[in-house]
């Protein structure tokens, strides 16, 4: 039987690399053109300062990495309610964005791994149980991987 | 600290009802017209027997309900392969959501009824029960996210 932390880490890893419905599965053989593509359904969305165009796969990659940075901050300073959202550190190419995402994800995994088992009961920032927070992270990963899959379909359809 | 089963059940419940990235949240105020809409990007995909048109939100709902029944059967039959499950083509979005809730409730009962040591056993395709249920939860999040995009495509049609 796995502990709660082992269960969470297994789910965290599955969301990234499982053969079905995972980040690695949907990002296989991505091209630069594909990640920069914006479907017309997103053209009315305002582009935030420093961010890729909304609806692009590049936006999804930067968004996931941006929130990993915040999650790390929360886990490193679990009682610091004054912490603010990080500055976006957007990359402009697929290779750069992916490299940054991989590095930040590794740090996030290390932070989760290093939590003591009883740390999962701690109320993060006084608001959310740490275990629930990590479940949210995992769900968020699956959510965006899935939207990348649709973005790839939209790109293929537009380029037939 | 939670046990493995408690953690898995918490994940299972939250992917349905958490305020962020959940099925419940993406289904809010869904209309029948919206649920039946198929964006042209799904044109040409062959329709499966017993299922709504591929790419529609109704398809996602029917697919999830179908999978829940299949998963329940898989847990009951393990380690053997479950019997084939049939699709249910919903008459409306209300019907689809009702069927989804019913089959999801039955699946949750199956999971909740497992002994703690059952999570290391294997299901029919070789994964452990724990891996299998983690996949079920991820699959829920996956389809919720695609329903969210389908709603955007409907609005921008």
């Amino acid at each position: 039987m796995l502990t709660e932390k082992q269960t969470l880490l297994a789910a965290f890893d599955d969301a990234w690399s499982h053969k079905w419905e995972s980040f690695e599965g949907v990002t296989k053989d991505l091209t630069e053109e594909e990640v920069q593509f914006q479907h017309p359904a997103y053209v009315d969305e305002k582009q935030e300062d420093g961010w890729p165009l909304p609806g692009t796969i590049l936006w999804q990659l930067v968004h996931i990495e941006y929130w990993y940075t915040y999650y790390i901050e929360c886990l490193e300073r679990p009682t610091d309610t004054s912490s603010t959202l990080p500055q976006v550190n957007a990359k402009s190419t697929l290779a750069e964005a992916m490299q940054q995402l991989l590095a930040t994800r590794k740090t996030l995994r290390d932070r989760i791994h290093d939590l003591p088992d009883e740390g999962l009961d701690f109320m993060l920032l006084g608001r959310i149980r740490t275990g629930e927070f990590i479940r949210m992270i995992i769900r968020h990963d699956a959510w965006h991987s899935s939207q990348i899959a649709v973005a790839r379909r939209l790109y293929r359809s537009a380029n037939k | 600290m939670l046990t493995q089963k408690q953690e898995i059940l918490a994940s299972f419940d939250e992917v349905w009802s958490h305020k962020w990235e959940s099925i419940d949240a993406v289904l809010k105020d869904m209309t029948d017209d919206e649920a039946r809409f198929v964006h042209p990007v799904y044109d040409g995909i062959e329709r499966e027997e017993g299922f709504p048109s591929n790419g529609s939100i109704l398809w996602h709902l029917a697919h999830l309900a179908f999978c829940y029944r299949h998963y329940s059967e898989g847990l009951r039959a393990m380690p053997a392969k479950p019997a084939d499950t049939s699709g249910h083509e919903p008459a409306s979005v209300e019907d689809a959501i009702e069927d989804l809730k019913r089959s999801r409730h039955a699946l949750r009962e199956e999971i909740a009824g497992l002994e703690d040591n059952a999570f290391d056993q294997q299901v029919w395709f070789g994964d452990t029960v724990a891996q299998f249920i983690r996949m079920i939860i991820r699959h829920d999040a996956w389809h919720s996210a695609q329903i969210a995009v389908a709603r955007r495509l409907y609005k921008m049609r």
Side-chain angles (χ1 to χ4, degrees), chain A residues 71 74-75 124 128-137:
Chain A
Y71 304 150
C74 292
L75 292 171
L124 212 55
I128 182 170
R129 187 177 175 275
T130 302
E132 181 185 342
F133 182 71
I134 297 168
R135 289 197 295 272
M136 183 272 295
I137 293 172

Side-chain angles (χ1 to χ4, degrees), chain A residues 90-128:
Chain A
K91 300 298 181 187
S92 54
T93 69
L94 168 61
E96 290 170 341
M98 201 60 96
Q99 186 179 30
Q100 175 137 335
L101 178 57
L102 285 169
T104 311
R105 181 176 175 83
K106 182 181 180 314
T107 305
L108 175 59
R109 193 191 191 283
D110 290 345
R111 294 297 168 276
I112 297 170
H113 180 268
D114 293 345
L115 286 170
D117 287 332
E118 63 274 15
L120 296 171
D121 287 330
F122 188 81
M123 293 302 285
L124 212 55
L125 311 179
R127 293 201 302 260
I128 182 170

Side-chain angles (χ1 to χ4, degrees), chain A residues 39 49 62 86-87 96 100 118 139 143 156 160:
Chain A
H39 187 268
D49 273 353
V62 170
Q87 289 292 307
E96 290 170 341
Q100 175 137 335
E118 63 274 15
R139 207 168 55 246
W143 181 274
R156 285 196 305 272
K160 267 184 190 168

Side-chain angles (χ1 to χ4, degrees), chain A residues 18-20, chain B residues 78-81 119-132:
Chain A
H18 197 276
K19 61 189 167 192
W20 300 317
Chain B
M78 72 177 174
K81 189 176 176 188
F119 288 86
D120 294 332
Q121 294 177 26
Q122 286 188 336
V123 293
W124 74 101
F125 57 92
D127 274 10
T128 64
V129 170
Q131 289 171 317
F132 178 51

Side-chain angles (χ1 to χ4, degrees), chain B residues 10-66:
Chain B
S11 292
F12 184 84
D13 291 341
E14 286 173 6
V15 77
W16 179 270
S17 59
H18 199 277
K19 61 187 166 189
W20 298 317
E21 287 103 22
S22 68
I23 298 177
D24 208 29
V26 295
L27 293 181
K28 194 162 180 281
D29 302 326
M30 177 81 60
T31 66
D32 220 45
D33 191 50
E34 193 173 4
R36 290 183 187 284
F37 172 73
V38 178
H39 190 272
V41 75
Y42 294 96
D43 282 352
I45 299 181
E46 195 178 333
R47 186 170 175 168
E48 299 162 273
E49 195 181 328
F51 284 89
S53 298
N54 218 303
S56 66
I57 292 171
L58 218 49
W59 179 88
H60 285 282
L61 301 177
H63 169 77
L64 284 170
F66 168 85

Side-chain angles (χ1 to χ4, degrees), chain B residues 36-151:
Chain B
R36 290 183 187 284
F37 172 73
V38 178
H39 190 272
V41 75
Y42 294 96
D43 282 352
I45 299 181
E46 195 178 333
R47 186 170 175 168
E48 299 162 273
E49 195 181 328
F51 284 89
S53 298
N54 218 303
S56 66
I57 292 171
L58 218 49
W59 179 88
H60 285 282
L61 301 177
H63 169 77
L64 284 170
F66 168 85
C67 289
Y68 291 161
R69 287 191 287 274
H70 189 54
Y71 300 151
S72 292
E73 189 59 36
L75 289 174
R76 279 192 293 272
M78 72 177 174
K81 189 176 176 188
D84 285 345
T85 311
S86 56
H88 162 72
E89 190 166 347
S92 64
V93 67
E94 290 82 6
D95 180 32
I97 292 172
E98 274 311 302
D99 185 44
L100 184 62
K101 285 181 175 173
R102 205 167 33 242
S103 54
R104 183 178 177 82
H105 177 73
L107 174 59
R108 194 189 191 284
E109 294 287 297
E110 289 294 335
I111 297 170
L114 291 169
E115 300 289 339
D116 284 333
N117 60 10
F119 288 86
D120 294 332
Q121 294 177 26
Q122 286 188 336
V123 293
W124 74 101
F125 57 92
D127 274 10
T128 64
V129 170
Q131 289 171 317
F132 178 51
I133 301 173
R134 291 200 302 269
M135 181 276 291
I136 293 172
I137 296 163
R138 203 170 60 252
H139 184 249
D140 280 349
W142 188 270
H143 284 282
S144 304
Q146 297 205 353
I147 290 170
V149 180
R151 296 196 79 170

